[in-house]
Amino acid sequence: MRTFESIGIASLGLKIPSFFLDLKDFAQLRGTDPNKYTIGLSCHEMALCLDQHTVVDLALGAARRALMRWKGGLDQIGFLAIGTESALDMSAPLTKWVARELKISGALRSYEVKHACLGGTLALRQAYEWRCSPASKGKAALVIAVDDTLYEASSPGEPTQGAGAVAMIVDKPLIAEIDPCSHSWSYPADDFWRPIGEPYPHVNGPLSLECYNQGALACFQDCCDYTKQTLGGFLETIKGMSFHTPFPKMVQKALGALCDKSEISKGSADKAKNLFLEKVAPYLTWNQKIGNSMTASLWFSVAQNLCGRQIGEQISAFSYGSGCGAELQLLTAGPEARAAAWAEDLQDDFSQRTQLSGQDYDHFRRLNEVLKDGTSKTGLSKDEQKLRQAS
Ligand code: COA
């Protein structure tokens, strides 16, 4: 650990919805070989928001858990940012609903960040840079990454749905120190987008995989240039790697591209496979049970990656957002990583959630289509309608 004042993640809170669908049941519903999803994409389950459960509930659930474990009070939060692509309004930030429920107001910077799945990471970087600056006046930041991902029924993206929220308090590096330098990359691309007023995203899957790999290669190379190591040396010394995870096979392919570039896999494809099994796969098992939670997916993997770490162990966090942009950060485990208090959030949520049958899911999709029609008539998003019904 460094001796000068370092800033990082002081507390973590996780929340997933109370329903899920097994991908084998989904495959049966859609008349597909289940191996396509469980082996081809390496996905097992998808978490689903039903009934009155909204992104606000998920964000609040994660934030309350992070705040409960933090020793500071609400009056010490001076910054609240949410990264999401499940916005409720084109003008008002999602933080409006969350701040109202948490009763945080006053001397506070509160806003929403949008850049597809990169939004949570950008919110975290902004919080970090704010916390390091005199503007924070020593207060802490609360950052939430949250999404509820639904693709059009029967579209290729449908097996890669999911939902969840990760909240992080940025202050003293009790769980992990955030490296001051991060490595970013961006160029305009039409790989994934959701036009205003449309309920589901459009995705050019193969292009999104290509952009993701390019982003990974560029960010890891920039990091190695900065830290003066070879890419092969970096991959061999880093303790664990987390990636944005639309579906785990995408991550494995990106690691394969990194190994090819570093020549780590030269002469033996097993080397790349073993590296994946040792340093990446163990931190994807939560994602395999949650599905693609967009902005939150990287941070679920990071939360799992930090569990039980010794002080000083370094991990990497690679974020990607369509459109497109990427950012690689290094995190160093702090004194509270070993106890991993946040792991109980998901132990509780996984054990209490309800499994849907393929028929239940099909019924839910049909209801959603009705809501979608309502959306075009009322101009309200699905989540906004749920909120109005609930209030
Ligand atoms: N058993 C085992 N594997 C199988 C299989 C079976 N019966 N059937 C297919 N597969 C494999 C395929 O070989 C392929 O693996 P490969 O890419 O390693 O060759 C994988 O399963 C997917 O099959 P594919 O035919 O490519 O699926 P698809 O055309 O239905 O679409 C995606 C796959 C990933 C493109 C689609 O799910 C998608 O668009 N997802 C969203 C992507 C995304 O989130 N992008 C933006 C975020 S950054």
Side-chain angles (χ1 to χ4, degrees), residues 361-381:
Y361 171 74
D362 195 39
H363 179 67
F364 159 67
R365 289 308 311 235
R366 286 171 201 281
L367 272 180
N368 215 53
E369 287 306 305
V370 175
L371 277 177
K372 189 183 83 171
D373 285 349
T375 302
S376 53
K377 288 190 197 98
T378 62
L380 297 178
S381 71

Side-chain angles (χ1 to χ4, degrees), residues 15-333:
K15 181 73 190 166
I16 57 169
S18 38
F19 295 92
F20 76 100
L21 177 66
D22 190 302
L23 267 285
K24 292 196 276 306
D25 294 330
F26 172 74
Q28 195 177 25
L29 177 74
R30 294 284 177 249
T32 312
D33 179 351
N35 290 341
K36 173 172 176 181
Y37 304 139
T38 56
I39 298 172
L41 302 179
S42 196
C43 298
H44 295 167
E45 292 163 4
M46 61 170 85
L48 291 161
C49 283
L50 301 183
D51 306 331
Q52 305 303 332
H53 220 155
T54 70
V55 284
V56 175
D57 298 317
L58 292 176
L60 273 172
R64 285 190 170 123
R65 285 169 164 176
L67 287 163
M68 181 189 70
R69 293 192 192 98
W70 185 52
K71 294 196 174 60
L74 282 177
D75 58 342
Q76 287 166 264
I77 300 286
F79 183 110
L80 171 65
I82 297 185
T84 189
E85 45 188 305
S86 309
L88 295 187
D89 190 283
M90 281 297 294
S91 300
L94 193 53
T95 51
K96 178 180 84 173
W97 284 268
V98 171
R100 184 175 282 147
E101 291 298 320
L102 290 177
K103 300 188 173 39
I104 313 182
S105 60
L108 178 77
R109 185 181 291 171
S110 164
Y111 63 100
E112 179 181 305
V113 180
K114 181 186 71 167
H115 185 324
C117 304
L118 188 61
T121 297
L122 294 177
L124 182 74
R125 281 313 298 183
Q126 289 170 356
Y128 171 81
E129 286 156 14
W130 171 85
R131 179 61 185 80
C132 291
S133 81
S136 71
K137 303 182 193 83
K139 286 191 169 185
L142 173 59
V143 174
I144 307 166
V146 60
D147 270 302
D148 172 12
T149 312
L150 276 188
Y151 286 96
E152 188 164 12
S154 301
S155 68
E158 194 185 17
T160 65
Q161 298 174 144
V166 177
M168 295 171 269
I169 293 179
V170 178
D171 194 35
K172 295 198 167 34
L174 298 173
I175 294 174
E177 180 186 343
I178 299 173
D179 197 272
C181 192
S182 73
H183 310 279
S184 38
W185 171 90
S186 176
Y187 77 85
D190 299 319
D191 59 329
F192 175 106
W193 67 102
R194 178 154 69 93
I196 291 169
E198 290 198 18
Y200 304 120
H202 300 255
V203 58
N204 179 339
L207 179 62
S208 73
L209 268 77
E210 205 180 301
C211 296
Y212 182 100
N213 282 1
Q214 279 183 33
L217 289 170
C219 291
F220 277 81
Q221 190 58 58
D222 190 63
C223 177
C224 290
D225 292 346
Y226 176 76
T227 54
K228 299 195 182 1
Q229 331 173 53
T230 62
L231 184 53
F234 176 92
L235 296 173
E236 273 171 1
T237 52
I238 195 86
K239 293 286 182 191
M241 288 179 270
S242 287
F243 290 77
H244 166 50
T245 308
F247 55 95
K249 199 43 110 35
M250 190 160 172
V251 173
Q252 189 169 358
K253 286 185 178 188
L255 186 74
L258 287 167
C259 287
D260 286 349
K261 188 171 180 207
S262 72
E263 302 199 342
I264 242 181
S265 41
K266 209 173 186 179
S268 162
D270 279 353
K271 275 201 173 170
K273 193 175 164 198
N274 291 341
L275 194 74
F276 176 75
L277 291 176
E278 184 198 344
K279 297 193 177 180
V280 184
Y283 318 116
L284 285 175
T285 63
W286 288 354
N287 293 77
Q288 285 177 311
K289 290 164 75 69
I290 296 169
N292 186 4
S293 54
M294 302 278 193
T295 53
S297 84
L298 164 68
W299 298 100
F300 277 117
S301 174
V302 167
Q304 192 174 21
N305 202 331
L306 287 168
C307 286
R309 292 251 171 235
Q310 307 277 4
I311 295 180
E313 286 187 345
Q314 198 170 54
I315 67 165
S316 62
F318 172 72
S319 194
Y320 173 81
S322 293
C324 64
E327 190 129 351
L328 177 67
Q329 298 182 81
L330 298 178
L331 302 171
T332 305

